Amino acid sequence: MLKPILLRTVLAASVSAIAFSASSSAEEVVNVYTTREPALAAPLFEAFTKETGIKVNSVFVKDGLAERVKAEGAASPADVLITVDVGNLLDVVDAGVTQPVTTPALTAAVPANLRDPQGNWYALSMRARLVYETKEEPKLVNFHYEDLADPKWKGKICIRSGQHPYNVALTAAYIVHHGEEKTEAWLKGLKANLARKATGGDREGARDILGGICDLAVGNSYYVALMRSGKGGADQKKWGDAITVVMPTFEGGGTHVNVSGAAVAKNSPNKANAVKLLEFAVSPQMQALYAKQNYEYPVRQGAELDPLIADLGPLKVDPISLVEIAKARKKASELIDKVGFDG
């Protein structure tokens, strides 16, 4: 008997295959499976259809994207897979449900460290891992991630769970830069500097700076813009307006980023249209539009930033490959547990 999760995946795969096959026989289409909220990707899809006449059929897949496409096999209607977090992008590659695609437009738009070397996926947008501090008494200049373990910050730093994907990726990047031994020492130092247990979200870090619980907090760039936009409510706007933002870098490197990205599915029935959609997504106009939907950074250099993101200052992206970071995630998670970071 099939396990419930696998059974749901197979049933969902059958339903989607039937739905897409009915619509794809009479018109040009491209079928997208995405873990992104539909509202974030919808403007991109609408603009693509307007520009090319190709209809975009999109399916929101909350969990099990790779498993679903794998279960559909050769009959899968999926043309493009869109997800967030480089770990999820490598999961679909490791599951064998992508195919390599290389075109001059894609390689020119997406920097080498933000795409798969074989062309199995391309980053579409970035979020930076930053440090927040109080706007009342800013202290930080030329701050490095390594400085988070400096004993002078003992009892003064707020951060969410070490096992959250944002912090696992940051720790993995630390491993790539400094190796496992130094990363373990850094995690111990950072844990010793916590003002409270590692918990909550990034926005709670800003809240607790305003509340006087911590002096510094580690958080993502798009949360700052989201808070300051007022879309999250009056309290969040107050938190966002109370902090200033520092762009930390690794010593000898740059600021750590994670990404949303896209891949062409292995059995894509509309491959030419899938490639057109990816190339459209990295065009200057669409890079700006796509990134603005969630206050992210475009991956294409020179693409327009949302004003709230532009206000954070220039971003110097860490040049190490996201593939190397993703490979170090398992070890990062083990080290986080080893030092009892969340305890």
Side-chain angles (χ1 to χ4, degrees), residues 126-166:
M126 304 181 290
R127 65 277 301 273
R129 200 83 179 124
L130 307 179
V131 171
Y132 309 159
E133 67 171 333
T134 178
K135 187 177 283 183
E136 296 298 320
E137 298 180 73
K139 306 178 182 70
L140 306 183
V141 178
N142 296 326
F143 194 78
H144 300 296
Y145 293 108
E146 291 84 347
D147 298 330
L148 290 168
D150 190 321
K152 76 177 183 180
W153 299 112
K154 187 174 180 60
K156 296 180 178 179
I157 297 177
C158 288
I159 193 170
R160 69 195 313 164
S161 165
Q163 288 293 2
H164 190 279
Y166 299 157

mmCIF file of all heavy atoms in Angstrom, residues 126-166:
data_model
loop_
_atom_site.group_PDB
_atom_site.id
_atom_site.type_symbol
_atom_site.label_atom_id
_atom_site.label_comp_id
_atom_site.label_asym_id
_atom_site.label_seq_id
_atom_site.Cartn_x
_atom_site.Cartn_y
_atom_site.Cartn_z
ATOM 1 N N MET A 126 17.487 37.537 -5.221
ATOM 2 C CA MET A 126 18.328 37.285 -4.046
ATOM 3 C C MET A 126 17.753 37.985 -2.810
ATOM 4 O O MET A 126 17.113 39.031 -2.912
ATOM 5 C CB MET A 126 19.733 37.849 -4.259
ATOM 6 C CG MET A 126 20.462 37.344 -5.481
ATOM 7 S SD MET A 126 22.120 38.080 -5.605
ATOM 8 C CE MET A 126 21.698 39.778 -6.020
ATOM 9 N N ARG A 127 18.010 37.404 -1.634
ATOM 10 C CA ARG A 127 17.787 38.063 -0.350
ATOM 11 C C ARG A 127 19.087 37.982 0.434
ATOM 12 O O ARG A 127 19.754 36.934 0.428
ATOM 13 C CB ARG A 127 16.607 37.466 0.426
ATOM 14 C CG ARG A 127 16.744 36.035 0.903
ATOM 15 C CD ARG A 127 16.397 35.002 -0.141
ATOM 16 N NE ARG A 127 15.048 35.116 -0.651
ATOM 17 C CZ ARG A 127 14.005 34.524 -0.057
ATOM 18 N NH1 ARG A 127 14.183 33.781 1.011
ATOM 19 N NH2 ARG A 127 12.804 34.634 -0.556
ATOM 20 N N ALA A 128 19.491 39.088 1.065
ATOM 21 C CA ALA A 128 20.775 39.147 1.761
ATOM 22 C C ALA A 128 20.580 38.935 3.256
ATOM 23 O O ALA A 128 19.575 39.369 3.833
ATOM 24 C CB ALA A 128 21.443 40.496 1.503
ATOM 25 N N ARG A 129 21.546 38.249 3.887
ATOM 26 C CA ARG A 129 21.519 38.006 5.345
ATOM 27 C C ARG A 129 22.290 39.150 6.002
ATOM 28 O O ARG A 129 23.520 39.251 5.861
ATOM 29 C CB ARG A 129 22.162 36.654 5.655
ATOM 30 C CG ARG A 129 21.753 36.111 7.020
ATOM 31 C CD ARG A 129 20.435 35.401 6.949
ATOM 32 N NE ARG A 129 20.007 34.845 8.227
ATOM 33 C CZ ARG A 129 18.843 35.150 8.793
ATOM 34 N NH1 ARG A 129 17.999 35.986 8.219
ATOM 35 N NH2 ARG A 129 18.494 34.603 9.940
ATOM 36 N N LEU A 130 21.575 39.990 6.729
ATOM 37 C CA LEU A 130 22.130 41.241 7.245
ATOM 38 C C LEU A 130 22.191 41.251 8.767
ATOM 39 O O LEU A 130 21.774 40.306 9.435
ATOM 40 C CB LEU A 130 21.271 42.416 6.761
ATOM 41 C CG LEU A 130 21.018 42.491 5.251
ATOM 42 C CD1 LEU A 130 20.147 43.694 4.933
ATOM 43 C CD2 LEU A 130 22.322 42.560 4.488
ATOM 44 N N VAL A 131 22.676 42.351 9.310
ATOM 45 C CA VAL A 131 22.653 42.592 10.756
ATOM 46 C C VAL A 131 21.881 43.883 11.003
ATOM 47 O O VAL A 131 22.116 44.894 10.339
ATOM 48 C CB VAL A 131 24.090 42.696 11.317
ATOM 49 C CG1 VAL A 131 24.060 43.174 12.774
ATOM 50 C CG2 VAL A 131 24.801 41.344 11.234
ATOM 51 N N TYR A 132 20.944 43.803 11.922
ATOM 52 C CA TYR A 132 20.171 44.987 12.316
ATOM 53 C C TYR A 132 20.786 45.561 13.603
ATOM 54 O O TYR A 132 21.262 44.808 14.460
ATOM 55 C CB TYR A 132 18.715 44.634 12.629
ATOM 56 C CG TYR A 132 17.949 43.837 11.615
ATOM 57 C CD1 TYR A 132 16.812 43.120 12.006
ATOM 58 C CD2 TYR A 132 18.303 43.791 10.269
ATOM 59 C CE1 TYR A 132 16.061 42.381 11.106
ATOM 60 C CE2 TYR A 132 17.562 43.047 9.355
ATOM 61 C CZ TYR A 132 16.450 42.346 9.775
ATOM 62 O OH TYR A 132 15.704 41.611 8.872
ATOM 63 N N GLU A 133 20.740 46.870 13.769
ATOM 64 C CA GLU A 133 21.103 47.501 15.036
ATOM 65 C C GLU A 133 20.203 48.709 15.251
ATOM 66 O O GLU A 133 19.519 49.161 14.329
ATOM 67 C CB GLU A 133 22.575 47.898 15.072
ATOM 68 C CG GLU A 133 22.951 49.007 14.121
ATOM 69 C CD GLU A 133 24.367 49.527 14.338
ATOM 70 O OE1 GLU A 133 24.885 49.439 15.463
ATOM 71 O OE2 GLU A 133 24.956 50.041 13.374
ATOM 72 N N THR A 134 20.220 49.246 16.453
ATOM 73 C CA THR A 134 19.330 50.360 16.755
ATOM 74 C C THR A 134 19.730 51.603 15.980
ATOM 75 O O THR A 134 20.919 51.906 15.818
ATOM 76 C CB THR A 134 19.317 50.673 18.256
ATOM 77 O OG1 THR A 134 18.454 51.803 18.486
ATOM 78 C CG2 THR A 134 20.707 50.992 18.781
ATOM 79 N N LYS A 135 18.712 52.322 15.534
ATOM 80 C CA LYS A 135 18.959 53.563 14.812
ATOM 81 C C LYS A 135 19.422 54.670 15.760
ATOM 82 O O LYS A 135 20.086 55.622 15.350
ATOM 83 C CB LYS A 135 17.677 53.987 14.093
ATOM 84 C CG LYS A 135 17.838 55.169 13.175
ATOM 85 C CD LYS A 135 16.557 55.496 12.439
ATOM 86 C CE LYS A 135 16.319 54.538 11.300
ATOM 87 N NZ LYS A 135 15.116 54.857 10.515
ATOM 88 N N GLU A 136 19.093 54.505 17.057
ATOM 89 C CA GLU A 136 19.418 55.535 18.031
ATOM 90 C C GLU A 136 20.916 55.655 18.276
ATOM 91 O O GLU A 136 21.449 56.749 18.415
ATOM 92 C CB GLU A 136 18.704 55.231 19.358
ATOM 93 C CG GLU A 136 17.191 55.279 19.280
ATOM 94 C CD GLU A 136 16.669 56.649 18.888
ATOM 95 O OE1 GLU A 136 17.231 57.655 19.372
ATOM 96 O OE2 GLU A 136 15.719 56.713 18.086
ATOM 97 N N GLU A 137 21.597 54.487 18.361
ATOM 98 C CA GLU A 137 23.025 54.504 18.649
ATOM 99 C C GLU A 137 23.772 53.526 17.732
ATOM 100 O O GLU A 137 24.302 52.518 18.190
ATOM 101 C CB GLU A 137 23.298 54.129 20.110
ATOM 102 C CG GLU A 137 22.707 55.078 21.119
ATOM 103 C CD GLU A 137 23.021 54.630 22.539
ATOM 104 O OE1 GLU A 137 24.180 54.771 22.953
ATOM 105 O OE2 GLU A 137 22.110 54.116 23.211
ATOM 106 N N PRO A 138 23.833 53.788 16.449
ATOM 107 C CA PRO A 138 24.541 52.858 15.547
ATOM 108 C C PRO A 138 26.036 52.822 15.871
ATOM 109 O O PRO A 138 26.649 53.847 16.124
ATOM 110 C CB PRO A 138 24.281 53.461 14.170
ATOM 111 C CG PRO A 138 23.969 54.886 14.414
ATOM 112 C CD PRO A 138 23.295 54.958 15.743
ATOM 113 N N LYS A 139 26.584 51.590 15.879
ATOM 114 C CA LYS A 139 27.994 51.420 16.259
ATOM 115 C C LYS A 139 28.819 50.745 15.177
ATOM 116 O O LYS A 139 30.039 50.824 15.199
ATOM 117 C CB LYS A 139 28.094 50.536 17.523
ATOM 118 C CG LYS A 139 27.277 50.965 18.722
ATOM 119 C CD LYS A 139 27.464 49.968 19.857
ATOM 120 C CE LYS A 139 26.624 50.311 21.080
ATOM 121 N NZ LYS A 139 25.184 50.096 20.844
ATOM 122 N N LEU A 140 28.173 50.035 14.281
ATOM 123 C CA LEU A 140 28.902 49.112 13.416
ATOM 124 C C LEU A 140 29.443 49.779 12.154
ATOM 125 O O LEU A 140 28.719 50.473 11.447
ATOM 126 C CB LEU A 140 27.993 47.953 13.009
ATOM 127 C CG LEU A 140 27.318 47.199 14.152
ATOM 128 C CD1 LEU A 140 26.510 46.036 13.609
ATOM 129 C CD2 LEU A 140 28.349 46.713 15.171
ATOM 130 N N VAL A 141 30.723 49.524 11.892
ATOM 131 C CA VAL A 141 31.377 49.997 10.670
ATOM 132 C C VAL A 141 32.235 48.840 10.158
ATOM 133 O O VAL A 141 32.959 48.200 10.938
ATOM 134 C CB VAL A 141 32.268 51.229 10.943
ATOM 135 C CG1 VAL A 141 32.966 51.662 9.658
ATOM 136 C CG2 VAL A 141 31.447 52.370 11.525
ATOM 137 N N ASN A 142 32.148 48.559 8.862
ATOM 138 C CA ASN A 142 32.934 47.460 8.264
ATOM 139 C C ASN A 142 32.777 46.167 9.068
ATOM 140 O O ASN A 142 33.761 45.538 9.474
ATOM 141 C CB ASN A 142 34.413 47.842 8.175
ATOM 142 C CG ASN A 142 34.638 49.026 7.253
ATOM 143 O OD1 ASN A 142 33.938 49.178 6.249
ATOM 144 N ND2 ASN A 142 35.595 49.874 7.594
ATOM 145 N N PHE A 143 31.549 45.797 9.326
ATOM 146 C CA PHE A 143 31.262 44.635 10.164
ATOM 147 C C PHE A 143 31.349 43.349 9.346
ATOM 148 O O PHE A 143 30.906 43.293 8.200
ATOM 149 C CB PHE A 143 29.857 44.784 10.752
ATOM 150 C CG PHE A 143 29.554 43.848 11.885
ATOM 151 C CD1 PHE A 143 30.037 44.094 13.158
ATOM 152 C CD2 PHE A 143 28.783 42.714 11.680
ATOM 153 C CE1 PHE A 143 29.752 43.238 14.212
ATOM 154 C CE2 PHE A 143 28.495 41.843 12.717
ATOM 155 C CZ PHE A 143 28.980 42.106 13.993
ATOM 156 N N HIS A 144 31.940 42.303 9.966
ATOM 157 C CA HIS A 144 32.056 40.996 9.327
ATOM 158 C C HIS A 144 31.203 39.970 10.070
ATOM 159 O O HIS A 144 30.986 40.098 11.286
ATOM 160 C CB HIS A 144 33.511 40.534 9.311
ATOM 161 C CG HIS A 144 34.440 41.439 8.568
ATOM 162 N ND1 HIS A 144 34.352 41.666 7.214
ATOM 163 C CD2 HIS A 144 35.488 42.193 8.997
ATOM 164 C CE1 HIS A 144 35.290 42.508 6.829
ATOM 165 N NE2 HIS A 144 35.984 42.854 7.890
ATOM 166 N N TYR A 145 30.749 38.929 9.359
ATOM 167 C CA TYR A 145 30.009 37.855 10.037
ATOM 168 C C TYR A 145 30.857 37.252 11.156
ATOM 169 O O TYR A 145 30.332 36.849 12.198
ATOM 170 C CB TYR A 145 29.640 36.751 9.028
ATOM 171 C CG TYR A 145 28.652 37.181 7.979
ATOM 172 C CD1 TYR A 145 29.052 37.373 6.662
ATOM 173 C CD2 TYR A 145 27.311 37.394 8.299
ATOM 174 C CE1 TYR A 145 28.143 37.760 5.685
ATOM 175 C CE2 TYR A 145 26.396 37.785 7.328
ATOM 176 C CZ TYR A 145 26.825 37.973 6.016
ATOM 177 O OH TYR A 145 25.926 38.370 5.054
ATOM 178 N N GLU A 146 32.157 37.201 10.958
ATOM 179 C CA GLU A 146 33.050 36.648 11.975
ATOM 180 C C GLU A 146 32.922 37.408 13.298
ATOM 181 O O GLU A 146 33.100 36.830 14.379
ATOM 182 C CB GLU A 146 34.502 36.693 11.475
ATOM 183 C CG GLU A 146 34.802 35.731 10.327
ATOM 184 C CD GLU A 146 34.446 36.286 8.936
ATOM 185 O OE1 GLU A 146 33.734 37.308 8.863
ATOM 186 O OE2 GLU A 146 34.885 35.668 7.938
ATOM 187 N N ASP A 147 32.597 38.723 13.215
ATOM 188 C CA ASP A 147 32.508 39.562 14.415
ATOM 189 C C ASP A 147 31.334 39.187 15.315
ATOM 190 O O ASP A 147 31.289 39.600 16.485
ATOM 191 C CB ASP A 147 32.375 41.039 14.017
ATOM 192 C CG ASP A 147 33.587 41.536 13.247
ATOM 193 O OD1 ASP A 147 34.696 41.012 13.486
ATOM 194 O OD2 ASP A 147 33.424 42.450 12.411
ATOM 195 N N LEU A 148 30.374 38.429 14.804
ATOM 196 C CA LEU A 148 29.227 38.042 15.638
ATOM 197 C C LEU A 148 29.656 37.171 16.814
ATOM 198 O O LEU A 148 28.921 37.054 17.802
ATOM 199 C CB LEU A 148 28.192 37.285 14.790
ATOM 200 C CG LEU A 148 27.434 38.128 13.757
ATOM 201 C CD1 LEU A 148 26.673 37.215 12.790
ATOM 202 C CD2 LEU A 148 26.460 39.091 14.456
ATOM 203 N N ALA A 149 30.836 36.563 16.723
ATOM 204 C CA ALA A 149 31.331 35.709 17.815
ATOM 205 C C ALA A 149 32.273 36.465 18.752
ATOM 206 O O ALA A 149 32.784 35.869 19.713
ATOM 207 C CB ALA A 149 32.049 34.493 17.232
ATOM 208 N N ASP A 150 32.470 37.751 18.525
ATOM 209 C CA ASP A 150 33.355 38.541 19.398
ATOM 210 C C ASP A 150 32.741 38.648 20.790
ATOM 211 O O ASP A 150 31.574 39.050 20.932
ATOM 212 C CB ASP A 150 33.524 39.938 18.793
ATOM 213 C CG ASP A 150 34.602 40.751 19.492
ATOM 214 O OD1 ASP A 150 34.705 40.659 20.734
ATOM 215 O OD2 ASP A 150 35.335 41.479 18.795
ATOM 216 N N PRO A 151 33.500 38.307 21.845
ATOM 217 C CA PRO A 151 32.944 38.349 23.215
ATOM 218 C C PRO A 151 32.388 39.714 23.627
ATOM 219 O O PRO A 151 31.608 39.790 24.584
ATOM 220 C CB PRO A 151 34.152 37.963 24.087
ATOM 221 C CG PRO A 151 35.041 37.169 23.189
ATOM 222 C CD PRO A 151 34.881 37.777 21.820
ATOM 223 N N LYS A 152 32.754 40.772 22.935
ATOM 224 C CA LYS A 152 32.234 42.098 23.330
ATOM 225 C C LYS A 152 30.720 42.205 23.121
ATOM 226 O O LYS A 152 30.080 43.114 23.647
ATOM 227 C CB LYS A 152 32.962 43.210 22.581
ATOM 228 C CG LYS A 152 32.546 43.394 21.142
ATOM 229 C CD LYS A 152 33.286 44.575 20.525
ATOM 230 C CE LYS A 152 32.859 44.864 19.110
ATOM 231 N NZ LYS A 152 33.566 46.005 18.524
ATOM 232 N N TRP A 153 30.147 41.238 22.346
ATOM 233 C CA TRP A 153 28.700 41.253 22.120
ATOM 234 C C TRP A 153 27.978 40.262 23.040
ATOM 235 O O TRP A 153 26.810 39.955 22.811
ATOM 236 C CB TRP A 153 28.390 40.901 20.660
ATOM 237 C CG TRP A 153 28.971 41.866 19.679
ATOM 238 C CD1 TRP A 153 29.961 41.640 18.788
ATOM 239 C CD2 TRP A 153 28.613 43.245 19.515
ATOM 240 N NE1 TRP A 153 30.258 42.767 18.070
ATOM 241 C CE2 TRP A 153 29.432 43.769 18.493
ATOM 242 C CE3 TRP A 153 27.683 44.089 20.139
ATOM 243 C CZ2 TRP A 153 29.351 45.102 18.085
ATOM 244 C CZ3 TRP A 153 27.595 45.406 19.721
ATOM 245 C CH2 TRP A 153 28.418 45.899 18.707
ATOM 246 N N LYS A 154 28.622 39.807 24.095
ATOM 247 C CA LYS A 154 28.029 38.806 24.995
ATOM 248 C C LYS A 154 26.680 39.294 25.525
ATOM 249 O O LYS A 154 26.569 40.396 26.082
ATOM 250 C CB LYS A 154 28.970 38.507 26.167
ATOM 251 C CG LYS A 154 28.497 37.358 27.050
ATOM 252 C CD LYS A 154 29.537 37.003 28.102
ATOM 253 C CE LYS A 154 29.070 35.845 28.986
ATOM 254 N NZ LYS A 154 28.808 34.617 28.229
ATOM 255 N N GLY A 155 25.656 38.482 25.329
ATOM 256 C CA GLY A 155 24.313 38.806 25.823
ATOM 257 C C GLY A 155 23.602 39.895 25.044
ATOM 258 O O GLY A 155 22.625 40.460 25.526
ATOM 259 N N LYS A 156 24.060 40.173 23.795
ATOM 260 C CA LYS A 156 23.509 41.332 23.080
ATOM 261 C C LYS A 156 22.952 41.015 21.691
ATOM 262 O O LYS A 156 22.542 41.918 20.982
ATOM 263 C CB LYS A 156 24.601 42.401 22.940
ATOM 264 C CG LYS A 156 25.064 42.966 24.282
ATOM 265 C CD LYS A 156 26.143 44.027 24.102
ATOM 266 C CE LYS A 156 26.545 44.615 25.456
ATOM 267 N NZ LYS A 156 27.608 45.618 25.327
ATOM 268 N N ILE A 157 22.959 39.742 21.278
ATOM 269 C CA ILE A 157 22.551 39.415 19.911
ATOM 270 C C ILE A 157 21.270 38.567 19.908
ATOM 271 O O ILE A 157 21.136 37.624 20.682
ATOM 272 C CB ILE A 157 23.675 38.648 19.177
ATOM 273 C CG1 ILE A 157 24.920 39.534 19.055
ATOM 274 C CG2 ILE A 157 23.214 38.196 17.800
ATOM 275 C CD1 ILE A 157 26.124 38.847 18.412
ATOM 276 N N CYS A 158 20.340 38.911 19.020
ATOM 277 C CA CYS A 158 19.122 38.111 18.810
ATOM 278 C C CYS A 158 19.196 37.451 17.424
ATOM 279 O O CYS A 158 19.661 38.063 16.455
ATOM 280 C CB CYS A 158 17.875 38.994 18.876
ATOM 281 S SG CYS A 158 17.482 39.581 20.546
ATOM 282 N N ILE A 159 18.714 36.223 17.352
ATOM 283 C CA ILE A 159 18.711 35.484 16.089
ATOM 284 C C ILE A 159 17.655 34.391 16.176
ATOM 285 O O ILE A 159 17.319 33.937 17.278
ATOM 286 C CB ILE A 159 20.112 34.884 15.803
ATOM 287 C CG1 ILE A 159 20.234 34.380 14.361
ATOM 288 C CG2 ILE A 159 20.449 33.784 16.797
ATOM 289 C CD1 ILE A 159 21.672 34.013 13.964
ATOM 290 N N ARG A 160 17.129 33.984 15.029
ATOM 291 C CA ARG A 160 16.146 32.896 15.024
ATOM 292 C C ARG A 160 16.880 31.548 15.151
ATOM 293 O O ARG A 160 18.107 31.514 15.238
ATOM 294 C CB ARG A 160 15.295 32.946 13.764
ATOM 295 C CG ARG A 160 16.037 32.617 12.511
ATOM 296 C CD ARG A 160 15.262 33.024 11.250
ATOM 297 N NE ARG A 160 13.877 32.614 11.271
ATOM 298 C CZ ARG A 160 12.945 33.117 10.447
ATOM 299 N NH1 ARG A 160 13.271 34.043 9.560
ATOM 300 N NH2 ARG A 160 11.697 32.712 10.500
ATOM 301 N N SER A 161 16.151 30.459 15.139
ATOM 302 C CA SER A 161 16.732 29.126 15.299
ATOM 303 C C SER A 161 17.922 28.909 14.363
ATOM 304 O O SER A 161 17.879 29.259 13.185
ATOM 305 C CB SER A 161 15.672 28.064 15.012
ATOM 306 O OG SER A 161 16.275 26.797 14.828
ATOM 307 N N GLY A 162 18.947 28.284 14.906
ATOM 308 C CA GLY A 162 20.097 27.950 14.082
ATOM 309 C C GLY A 162 19.752 26.974 12.978
ATOM 310 O O GLY A 162 20.426 26.930 11.938
ATOM 311 N N GLN A 163 18.714 26.174 13.196
ATOM 312 C CA GLN A 163 18.320 25.185 12.192
ATOM 313 C C GLN A 163 17.371 25.742 11.143
ATOM 314 O O GLN A 163 16.945 25.003 10.244
ATOM 315 C CB GLN A 163 17.684 23.956 12.873
ATOM 316 C CG GLN A 163 18.672 23.091 13.625
ATOM 317 C CD GLN A 163 19.678 22.375 12.712
ATOM 318 O OE1 GLN A 163 19.665 22.558 11.509
ATOM 319 N NE2 GLN A 163 20.546 21.574 13.304
ATOM 320 N N HIS A 164 17.004 27.008 11.260
ATOM 321 C CA HIS A 164 16.197 27.586 10.190
ATOM 322 C C HIS A 164 17.032 27.618 8.902
ATOM 323 O O HIS A 164 18.247 27.880 8.962
ATOM 324 C CB HIS A 164 15.737 28.995 10.556
ATOM 325 C CG HIS A 164 14.722 29.530 9.586
ATOM 326 N ND1 HIS A 164 15.074 30.078 8.366
ATOM 327 C CD2 HIS A 164 13.373 29.556 9.624
ATOM 328 C CE1 HIS A 164 13.979 30.437 7.713
ATOM 329 N NE2 HIS A 164 12.929 30.125 8.450
ATOM 330 N N PRO A 165 16.419 27.346 7.754
ATOM 331 C CA PRO A 165 17.192 27.324 6.496
ATOM 332 C C PRO A 165 18.052 28.559 6.261
ATOM 333 O O PRO A 165 19.149 28.449 5.697
ATOM 334 C CB PRO A 165 16.110 27.181 5.425
ATOM 335 C CG PRO A 165 15.002 26.447 6.118
ATOM 336 C CD PRO A 165 15.015 26.943 7.540
ATOM 337 N N TYR A 166 17.589 29.754 6.696
ATOM 338 C CA TYR A 166 18.396 30.961 6.504
ATOM 339 C C TYR A 166 19.735 30.846 7.240
ATOM 340 O O TYR A 166 20.789 31.229 6.721
ATOM 341 C CB TYR A 166 17.676 32.197 7.046
ATOM 342 C CG TYR A 166 16.351 32.530 6.409
ATOM 343 C CD1 TYR A 166 15.416 33.289 7.104
ATOM 344 C CD2 TYR A 166 16.031 32.120 5.128
ATOM 345 C CE1 TYR A 166 14.193 33.618 6.543
ATOM 346 C CE2 TYR A 166 14.811 32.441 4.557
ATOM 347 C CZ TYR A 166 13.895 33.196 5.271
ATOM 348 O OH TYR A 166 12.686 33.517 4.717
#
